[in-house]
Amino acid sequence: MREPFEAESGDIRTGAHISNSVSNADAARHRWFTIKEAFSSSILDNALTEHGADASTTVLDPFSGSGTTAVAAAMRGISCYSIEVNPFLEFVARAKLTSASPLEIERATHRIADEMKAGRKSPLEGFSTFSKKKGAKKWLFNTSVLRAFEAGRIAASSLNADLKKLTTLALLDAAMKCCNARADGKCLRYSKDWKTTNYGANDLVEAFVAKLGQI
């Protein structure tokens, strides 16, 4: 899973030896998409230091998850073989190991944001609890959010492989920020004020642009 990339400015946090992803929220690359159940990048960085890992070291992670180990190793120029059965998590890991020039990302940001503002009917409208439908008391996404996401997804699919990974990752992160429920362990829980929050297409576009700005 290892791919070459330029290191993002900022160092992985050290000293915060915790067994969850709390410290990853401000750690380079790890913060691009955080999974609550992931290990702290600082634990892995500390482990690599304690074992004297260097460019001649090879790391094996048979349960890669969202790629915390692979990213921590790659930032130190260490080869890492990762295995992950979940295709979504495998995508997240690969995206975190991907690079593109700032100019390419900026151009893609404007192009996709414009498409998102126009919107496109989503195949998820009316499916299960993804959107509002007759008789439903709760739904994960407001219709305008789903349509902005679908337009962005289609626009991202036409980009080169690296930009597609990065923009899709940003779209997914933005979507979760505009979801009426929040990840809580292995499930989603609706916040008490989800109806009054009333996320819309503009909220998704803003979250998407902000995430790509971070990337």
Side-chain angles (χ1 to χ4, degrees):
M1 190 179 290
R2 186 185 179 203
E3 299 180 26
F5 63 82
E6 295 178 6
E8 181 186 8
S9 60
D11 298 323
I12 296 177
R13 283 183 56 181
T14 57
H17 303 296
I18 54 179
S19 59
N20 58 49
S21 63
V22 172
S23 67
N24 293 350
D26 56 7
R29 288 188 177 260
H30 298 282
R31 64 183 178 176
W32 290 1
F33 195 100
T34 56
I35 304 294
K36 185 176 181 180
E37 296 77 17
F39 281 106
S40 166
S41 59
S42 60
I43 287 180
L44 295 168
D45 197 53
N46 183 260
L48 292 171
T49 297
E50 287 185 351
H51 289 278
D54 56 27
S56 66
T57 303
T58 298
V59 174
L60 171 65
D61 184 359
F63 306 101
S64 176
S66 58
T68 306
T69 300
V71 173
M75 282 186 159
R76 299 167 68 115
I78 297 172
S79 295
C80 179
Y81 290 92
S82 300
I83 302 169
E84 177 51 51
V85 69
N86 185 311
F88 171 71
L89 293 179
E90 188 259 358
F91 163 75
V92 171
R94 287 189 179 276
K96 288 178 180 178
L97 291 164
T98 300
S99 287
S101 74
L103 180 58
E104 286 181 313
I105 294 176
E106 183 179 3
R107 287 174 175 171
T109 300
H110 292 305
R111 175 182 170 185
I112 295 175
D114 287 342
E115 293 292 331
M116 291 171 70
K117 292 173 184 176
R120 184 180 289 237
K121 186 174 177 61
S122 169
L124 294 176
E125 291 178 43
F127 177 74
S128 186
T129 58
F130 276 96
S131 70
K132 183 178 182 180
K133 62 182 179 180
K134 186 176 181 180
K137 295 182 178 180
K138 293 182 179 180
W139 52 93
L140 294 173
F141 300 98
N142 295 331
T143 301
S144 59
V145 171
L146 280 179
R147 292 186 175 184
F149 180 89
E150 180 64 11
R153 184 192 67 79
I154 292 173
S157 67
S158 66
L159 302 174
N160 66 54
D162 290 339
L163 281 175
K164 180 180 178 180
K165 289 176 189 174
L166 295 175
T167 53
T168 300
L169 187 71
L171 271 171
L172 292 168
D173 185 83
M176 292 313 300
K177 285 183 171 62
C178 296
C179 182
N180 294 327
R182 290 287 180 266
D184 182 12
K186 295 183 179 180
C187 65
L188 292 172
R189 297 186 185 278
Y190 287 86
S191 56
K192 294 180 179 180
D193 61 347
W194 69 271
K195 285 188 176 180
T196 57
T197 302
N198 195 28
Y199 290 114
N202 287 337
D203 297 306
L204 186 70
V205 172
E206 288 179 9
F208 169 72
V209 171
K211 176 56 62 171
L212 275 182
Q214 182 189 70
I215 290 175

